[in-house]
Amino acid sequence: MLQDPVRAAGRVDTTFVGRAAELGLFKGTLDQVLGGRRQILLLSGEPGIGKSRCAAAFAHVAEDQGALVVWGRCYEEPGAPPYWPWVQILREFIAASSPSEVRFAMGQGLSDIAAIVPELADGDSPPAPSGATFDPSETRFRMFDSIARFFAKVTQQVPLVAVVDDLHWADAPSLSLLEFLSHELQRCRLLLVGTYRENEVSRKSPLQHTLGGLGKDTGVVRVRLAGLPVPAIATLAQSLIGPDLPSAAIAAIHHQTDGNPLFVIELLQVLIDESRDAGVEPIAVRIPDGVREAIGRRLDRLSERANEVLITASVIGRQFGAADVSATLGDDFAEVLEHLETATQTGIIERCSDVQGEYRFTHALIRETLYDEIPRLDRLRLHGRVADALVTVRAGNVEPVLSRIAHHYHEAAMLGYVEQAAEYAARAAEHASRMQAYEEALTHYDRVIDVLTLSGQHIDERVARAMFLKGRALCYLGAYGDAAQALLKAVHAIRSSGNAEFVVDVVSQLVFISATGPQREIVPLLETALTLLADDAHKATRAKAIASLALALRSSGDYERIERLTDQAVELATRLDDPLAADLCLCLSLLALRGRPQTLERRLAIGELHVEVARRADSQPVLARAGFFQMEHLLEQGRIDESAAITEQTRRLSCHYAQKDYLAANNGIVLTLLRGEWIGLEERIEALRELGSRTRRDDAEGVYGAQMFALKRDLGQLSELEPLVRSLVEAPGYRAWAPGLIVVCTELGLVEHSRWLLDRLAQNDFAQLPRDDMFVACLTYCSEACVLLGDSVRAATIYRLLLPYSEQTLNHPRAVCFGSAQLFLGLLAHTAGDDTAAREHFERAVARNREMRAWPWLARTLYHYGRFLLQADRDPEREDGRRFLTEADQLAGRLSMAALGRDIDRVLRGTTGDSAFPDGLTVREIDVLRLVTIGRSNKDISKALTISLNTVATHVRSILNKTGCANRTEAAAYAMHNELQLLSTAEHPTRQPAQPSP
């Protein structure tokens, strides 16, 4: 236990006792760091257990090994500046280094880091990279990346130990930076030491999320500190009091404190203070019931006025300035200083060596004891007086304490400080946003909303503006679902507003991130706003309003009006002087037209204009965004090489911008899956998931699932997912994306689940499928399920819905490309009974997938077309089928598509034997098995095939015996695995095909 001097008993030697095991573990961890492996050491335990002092002892060991140690302490009360522990760490490095060393270590990132350490911004700072970003989320990523590069460069010169004390009080932005550094810095001589109270980490606390994320990191060491054993307490007592304390007293102290070092020291201090002489009858002094009582007894030895000074200081915070206390009390500064100096002699507080006139309580529990004893009304009054004092004392430089002022005014709001609370919360939010501390900004926006709403000012435009800015901050964090909810509340709050520009700002942001938003509310608002915006005035706002209206109408089905509005918006955008406003209008217009095959050529043309506008903006992120739209359009049209070229260009533009980097990497994976280039792909998908969890939280998991499913299916490894899928679909009240889950269940043979999900989605001709960006992906997955289940009626319905996309590729947005739509149309037509249409689609699918070099999808197309032709009546067609199957087999072998290879081999072997079907099944048994697979009863089968019930039962028993299946469900799974439900047989006299039509 590393202890501070106890001044009441005279100075004592610094001692470290009872932590030999922890010290040994730290030395081993430090050896890993010195060998070039970044490590994170997390010290946890109850309050007073000695976390900070253990960290200090570890720091001494690290310094002896030649490491540079820097500290950052999290602020105990709400109101600390964003990134406060990291600011302290950076400032300690700056203070210990020469200006040239700082410039070398920070490089071009110096201007980014200056966002949180303003003193770095001077005329000698390196310029920011060209093409400044206009997206705040990208600015934040660049700042994080610059700090990571700084640590990497510093640790090339010297091992670095960065201690972040009291992580349980860390602000969310600081924790986000910690997570970022843990992911980005894997191979460097950096040791991050964090301390936290485990009893203050709840399920919903930001630190819990961070600890969960770090749990996957093999370079994380966790140490839970327990109480000191009796021998360690004896050693500690001897260093403080001398050898005269009886063993019974030490045992009593251990029993009373459970070995908590702070409690032990406080009790020993009571013995020192209240005994006439340390060592003379110390056991006669009553041992207090708890540490708070012990602290109280120490405070009682100070004067009443000194206690008032300390009580005021406890409201200010763990660390406080003498000038702030003096201004709050209205007392003479010299008198306040005298009382503070007296308190330092008792060990209650200590001077801050780095700031003149600043003090801090020696332990958080001391400050908490004082604060908790203040009656509630007095406490609220003190918060208001502290806020007023901070405004006065820090008038010349209020920004660093804006968050603290906002906190104190918020606490005192009910005593008449409503306006001040709203004003300073808004200012603190704005300041936090400028520092890219968006989580911190959210807290302050909520305070603006709460304080104004509770005071009856809920219709105040400031409430709506705070909701709008909150939604925008959530967008910057990638939390688009939460952002949409906040923006929707802002829409409700501005319905009666006459500020048309503000209305358009709010609504355009909402429709941009949630095109399926509340159309009934949005459309009238925009139409009203447009009547207030003259044609010649507010051109940019009018253009944005028109484009937003087009996007808001997307789900209405009024395509003629949507196209007319987008034409107007694009025409206005080309005449705007502001390229950023033009960029937003073009983005909204492209989103309004997206998803309809009839608009693809128009979107390509707008996309070319978008690229030109982005070049005028001279912004890399804006140019990258224009590139993303265009490469999606080219992929949709099947122009794969051109899409790949733009993907590579945008990847180079996006390397410093997190969300754009995610999208560029995503498109690269889509094209890699399409080409069947598997080497290293699973690792890339995992890395993309990790990046997406920090930048695109709302859709990263869905993209990951779609891409991993596609990869595992291509490689024949879907069985690995069966336990997960089975547990998902069998869980009560499960929620999942039904179209994707249907095809997964079908592929894995979970027939009943597949059929139930398809029945649910197919109601009213699939009317419940939203007509949004996911519509085509939903249809694609549903079509696969229909084909695998042999559902001819629904296959005909999906055929009609999918036919308009026949000349395109089918895509799961930003996740997977399914190749040419012609393959799926061919399968659907065949399942629905229109083999003439099926043949034409298969022919086109082969040509189109071959042209695109979409090798996995070409292999599948050749397989399905080959099987189709094997059923033909003419020998030349059957020979063509065998030729296609042979080519498919060669492709599957080259691409390591094991499952497809087995299916092809089974079909090819079947054509050379006495039976075309596996396990000796007859044609009639195949007919019966097809109907069993789609859930038909024996009575239904009897009627469909015009055979008796006894004959049906005989066939079912024969099928079970030949295939080794135990029941009808297993037989259905067997049929789907062997794709027997797709076969049409010559003996099918009663088959009534459902005719697909354009």
Side-chain angles (χ1 to χ4, degrees), residues 57 82 101 108 142 176 297 429 471 507 520 542 622 641-642 799 804 821 885 916 919 960:
E101 288 173 326
Q108 282 197 330
R142 274 182 42 187
S176 295
R297 283 161 68 168
V507 175
R520 187 177 301 175
R542 183 172 178 79
V622 173
D641 290 340
E642 293 173 74
Y799 180 93
L885 285 165
D919 295 317
L960 297 179

Side-chain angles (χ1 to χ4, degrees), residues 26 30 34 57-69 159 161 191:
F26 173 77
L30 184 61
L34 297 176
F58 295 167
H60 290 317
V61 173
E63 287 175 337
D64 288 343
Q65 295 286 320
L68 173 64
V69 179
V161 177
L191 174 56

Side-chain angles (χ1 to χ4, degrees), residues 181-258:
L181 295 175
S182 73
H183 294 304
E184 297 300 314
L185 299 173
Q186 297 286 336
R187 302 290 299 179
C188 67
R189 295 186 297 170
L190 173 66
L191 174 56
L192 295 169
V193 178
T195 73
Y196 66 93
R197 292 182 185 177
E198 57 191 4
N199 65 326
E200 298 212 17
V201 182
S202 65
R203 185 171 55 87
K204 295 184 179 180
S205 68
L207 182 56
Q208 180 64 53
H209 179 271
T210 299
L211 294 175
L214 295 176
K216 306 171 186 176
D217 195 321
T218 56
V220 174
V221 179
R222 298 172 187 264
V223 178
R224 183 185 181 278
L225 296 180
L228 296 176
V230 170
I233 295 175
T235 302
L236 190 58
Q238 182 174 345
S239 69
L240 286 171
I241 296 177
D244 299 322
L245 195 64
S247 58
I250 291 175
I253 290 173
H254 181 268
H255 176 75
Q256 179 73 27
T257 64
D258 288 329

Side-chain angles (χ1 to χ4, degrees), residues 262-336:
L262 175 68
F263 299 0
V264 169
I265 290 175
E266 288 298 327
L267 294 185
L268 291 172
Q269 185 63 52
V270 169
L271 296 177
I272 293 170
D273 288 344
E274 299 187 5
S275 299
R276 292 181 179 275
D277 188 335
V280 178
E281 299 180 351
I283 198 63
V285 178
R286 185 179 69 85
I287 295 177
D289 291 335
V291 70
R292 288 181 184 270
E293 183 184 345
I295 292 170
R297 283 161 68 168
R298 289 176 63 190
L299 290 168
D300 289 343
R301 299 178 66 84
L302 298 173
S303 69
E304 184 178 346
R305 192 55 180 161
N307 271 276
E308 290 178 11
V309 168
L310 291 175
I311 286 171
T312 302
S314 76
V315 175
I316 295 174
R318 172 84 180 271
Q319 184 170 324
F320 55 90
D324 300 331
V325 177
S326 173
T328 302
L329 289 170
D331 283 1
D332 178 69
F333 177 78
E335 181 184 343
V336 168

Side-chain angles (χ1 to χ4, degrees), residues 62-257:
E63 287 175 337
D64 288 343
Q65 295 286 320
L68 173 64
V69 179
V70 287
W71 283 73
R73 292 177 174 85
C74 302
Y75 198 68
E76 182 177 347
E77 304 79 33
Y83 305 109
W84 184 237
W86 298 107
V87 171
Q88 295 171 82
I89 284 171
L90 292 167
R91 283 175 173 164
E92 282 205 15
F93 174 81
I94 294 167
S97 309
S98 67
S100 61
E101 288 173 326
V102 173
R103 285 194 295 271
F104 172 77
M106 295 188 177
Q108 282 197 330
L110 190 146
S111 58
D112 296 318
I113 299 173
I116 63 172
V117 188
E119 57 263 37
L120 288 173
D122 56 40
D124 297 327
S125 302
S130 60
T133 175
F134 294 88
D135 187 339
S137 61
E138 308 299 357
T139 306
R140 169 169 153 136
F141 177 84
R142 274 182 42 187
M143 182 186 76
F144 281 17
D145 186 55
S146 295
I147 293 173
R149 291 171 186 267
F150 155 73
F151 279 121
K153 189 167 287 188
V154 168
T155 55
Q156 290 174 4
Q157 308 300 317
V158 61
L160 183 67
V161 177
V163 183
V164 184
D165 201 13
D166 292 328
L167 274 172
H168 50 279
W169 288 321
D171 57 298
S174 292
L175 294 173
S176 295
L177 179 53
L178 173 61
E179 290 184 64
F180 184 90
L181 295 175
S182 73
H183 294 304
E184 297 300 314
L185 299 173
Q186 297 286 336
R187 302 290 299 179
C188 67
R189 295 186 297 170
L190 173 66
L191 174 56
L192 295 169
V193 178
T195 73
Y196 66 93
R197 292 182 185 177
E198 57 191 4
N199 65 326
E200 298 212 17
V201 182
S202 65
R203 185 171 55 87
K204 295 184 179 180
S205 68
L207 182 56
Q208 180 64 53
H209 179 271
T210 299
L211 294 175
L214 295 176
K216 306 171 186 176
D217 195 321
T218 56
V220 174
V221 179
R222 298 172 187 264
V223 178
R224 183 185 181 278
L225 296 180
L228 296 176
V230 170
I233 295 175
T235 302
L236 190 58
Q238 182 174 345
S239 69
L240 286 171
I241 296 177
D244 299 322
L245 195 64
S247 58
I250 291 175
I253 290 173
H254 181 268
H255 176 75
Q256 179 73 27
T257 64

Side-chain angles (χ1 to χ4, degrees), residues 796-804 806 825 834 837 841 995-998:
T797 301
I798 297 177
Y799 180 93
R800 288 194 300 273
L801 294 171
L802 204 56
L803 191 60
S806 60
L825 289 167
D834 189 346
H841 289 304
Q995 298 294 330
S997 60

Side-chain angles (χ1 to χ4, degrees), residues 660-679:
K660 306 297 187 294
D661 192 30
Y662 172 79
L663 294 173
N666 215 334
N667 280 281
I669 289 174
V670 170
L671 295 173
T672 302
L673 279 167
L674 188 65
R675 293 279 167 79
E677 298 164 355
W678 315 128
I679 297 176

